[in-house]
Amino acid sequence: MQVLLAAHAGFCFGVRRAIQQVEAELAHSGKVATYGPLIHNPQVIARLADQGVAIVDHLDMSTLGPVVIRSHGVGPAIYEQAAQHGVNLIDATCPFVANVQKAARDFTEQGYQVVIAGDADHPEVQGIVAWTGNRAIVVASGKEITGDKIQGKVALIAQTTLKEATFREVEAALRQLDVELIVKNTICSATAKRQEAAQQLVSQVEVMVVVGGRNSSNTRKLAQICVAAGLPTYHVEQAEELDPRWFKNVNQAGVTAGASTPHWIIEEVVQRMTEIQQEQELENNVPTEEAA
Ligand code: F3S
């Protein structure tokens, strides 16, 4: 079995930058907390906890030491709270997310009804909504677009990790309405590259392994792309979860990983798949009693 890794997989620029900022602060002051879990990957979070990185869910007088804002970003109220309580914030908001926040705020100030294509429960989207004074409408698909809620001047933006096809579907639904529409595609290139690379790989393999946190939105979307292509697809967080039965009689297996998946976990998965392949070769070559 040949194991093929997607051309773009694993940590994106924004996640790598956020981790570097946490590690730099840890080395500098020996004390740092993150506002919410830094990324959607339980293994990385456990490793940071071992290094002494705390997680806080509020900022007040009791917040000790510097607090890192994760790459998903937050709304303006968090910056105000930090200033009020003298908390030293280290802002690791991904610059791409910061651009979406700015666009959402600017469009709102210019009188547009902002529509965000994305997941209303995702922290990045909640942060963007907050920059519109909670006036933005969040839709997960084109089916949620209805003329009674959306009228006048409308600006469509996207959660950075949205699937391109979903964004186009929402745009098409908005174009059916009698509205003045501005479209700003804010899907980040790291996401698009990982999705395109997964799409290219599915045509070359018989089974796909998608590596990343089960709570990672962009990892789950990669898995959806593989499933939609009709391939047996397994979403794992770590190498231990791989089951040799998934690779029986498979000649080519693909691996991709979300933007919050570190390279050490991807390497362990590829390594374990290679071992499984070697074990299966050995089993196939064991001489039968008659042949012996
Ligand atoms: Fe930033 Fe894109 Fe990663 S928005 S956090 S570079 S997926």
Side-chain angles (χ1 to χ4, degrees):
M1 177 176 76
Q2 200 184 2
V3 180
L4 301 176
L5 181 61
H8 296 279
F11 270 1
C12 62
F13 154 78
V15 165
R16 195 175 296 121
R17 178 175 169 271
I19 289 181
Q20 280 165 356
Q21 280 175 280
V22 169
E23 287 176 346
E25 188 54 38
L26 206 53
H28 173 69
S29 67
K31 190 189 289 176
V32 66
T34 61
Y35 188 74
L38 187 65
I39 59 173
H40 285 151
N41 185 283
Q43 291 71 34
V44 172
I45 296 303
R47 199 177 254 212
L48 290 171
D50 286 346
Q51 293 172 340
V53 177
I55 298 175
V56 295
D57 58 7
H58 62 279
L59 301 175
D60 60 23
M61 312 289 255
S62 64
T63 310
L64 300 169
V67 176
V68 175
I69 298 297
R70 55 194 178 175
S71 53
H72 296 141
V74 292
I78 303 302
Y79 294 95
E80 283 156 24
Q81 273 173 36
Q84 211 178 344
H85 299 297
V87 176
N88 174 14
L89 278 191
I90 297 170
D91 196 351
T93 304
C94 175
F96 297 121
V97 175
N99 278 345
V100 191
Q101 293 175 342
K102 183 175 179 310
R105 188 195 60 197
D106 292 351
F107 282 134
T108 304
E109 283 172 4
Q110 292 159 21
Y112 284 89
Q113 167 63 64
V114 171
V115 175
I116 306 169
D119 173 2
D121 295 328
H122 193 281
E124 176 197 322
V125 174
Q126 289 168 344
I128 298 166
V129 169
W131 284 97
T132 68
N134 296 322
R135 276 177 270 172
I137 293 171
V138 184
V139 294
S141 73
K143 293 184 202 79
E144 294 177 29
I145 298 290
T146 53
D148 52 338
K149 273 197 283 177
I150 302 170
Q151 289 155 0
K153 284 165 55 171
V154 176
L156 171 64
I157 56 177
Q159 180 178 358
T160 55
T161 52
L162 191 74
K163 276 196 291 185
E164 185 79 31
T166 308
F167 188 69
R168 293 296 157 217
E169 183 198 307
V170 173
E171 179 187 350
L174 282 170
R175 291 205 183 281
Q176 300 296 314
L177 303 181
D178 184 21
V179 293
E180 180 191 327
L181 181 65
I182 286 191
V183 177
K184 187 172 168 73
N185 184 344
T186 51
I187 297 175
C188 125
S189 62
T191 300
K193 278 183 188 158
R194 276 153 191 72
Q195 292 177 359
E196 281 161 24
Q199 197 77 61
Q200 281 168 8
L201 195 53
V202 291
S203 59
Q204 301 169 41
V205 298
E206 299 141 71
V207 57
M208 277 297 286
V209 173
V210 182
V211 192
R214 292 203 169 75
N215 55 349
S216 157
S217 146
N218 74 86
T219 306
R220 286 204 305 261
K221 281 181 193 120
L222 289 175
Q224 285 166 12
I225 286 171
C226 303
V227 170
L231 274 195
T233 301
Y234 302 100
H235 182 167
V236 299
E237 286 188 349
Q238 314 186 73
E240 294 84 77
E241 295 166 41
L242 294 168
D243 184 336
R245 286 173 297 187
W246 301 343
F247 309 106
K248 261 217 154 12
N249 303 321
V250 166
N251 292 315
Q252 307 216 282
V255 177
T256 185
S260 50
T261 310
H263 285 280
W264 53 270
I265 294 186
I266 302 172
E267 278 162 24
E268 283 173 6
V269 166
V270 171
Q271 173 67 28
R272 178 67 195 121
M273 286 170 72
T274 309
E275 284 166 15
I276 288 173
Q277 178 249 330
Q278 287 163 351
E279 286 160 14
Q280 289 181 343
E281 262 181 27
L282 273 177
E283 269 171 35
N284 292 340
N285 291 333
V286 168
T288 60
E289 259 178 52
E290 285 135 51

